[in-house]
Amino acid sequence: EVVLVGRVVFLNHMGAAVFLRVGDRTTSTTQLYVRGDAVDAARKFKLHDEVWARGTAMRTRLGELSLRVEECAPAVKTLTSEH
């Protein structure tokens, strides 16, 4: 089991799944693969939100290390001003 917290730097909705790239204060990012029960929470995330995710490590078909998310929630919501 892996727990990860980071800022959303990329977001892609792909049918029944959501892919996110979560980064830290360095240049490294981790891909999150969200399906099933956690997908509704993941669809509410926006770029630059701080998110918390729990799941298991996996490799994608292309061999990229990712986190298969079982549970996720916003850690800090990013507020933007509307002009």
Side-chain angles (χ1 to χ4, degrees):
E1 181 172 291
V2 178
V3 175
L4 181 127
V5 176
R7 184 178 301 271
V8 176
V9 295
F10 175 81
L11 184 61
N12 190 12
H13 300 263
M14 298 283 294
V18 175
F19 289 90
L20 301 109
R21 282 210 169 270
V22 176
D24 56 14
R25 295 184 190 276
T26 67
T27 58
S28 65
T29 61
T30 303
Q31 178 171 275
L32 305 183
Y33 171 68
V34 186
R35 269 185 79 102
D37 295 339
V39 91
D40 288 336
R43 289 192 189 280
K44 295 176 185 173
F45 296 148
K46 305 286 186 228
L47 283 179
H48 309 295
D49 284 352
E50 292 278 339
V51 299
W52 171 91
R54 181 182 57 81
T56 55
M58 62 170 268
R59 293 232 178 241
T60 64
R61 288 182 294 187
L62 299 176
E64 183 176 7
L65 185 60
S66 300
L67 182 67
R68 178 179 290 130
V69 175
E70 298 164 10
E71 184 180 4
C72 61
V76 176
K77 187 71 176 166
T78 301
L79 301 176
T80 58
S81 61
E82 301 290 326
H83 295 287

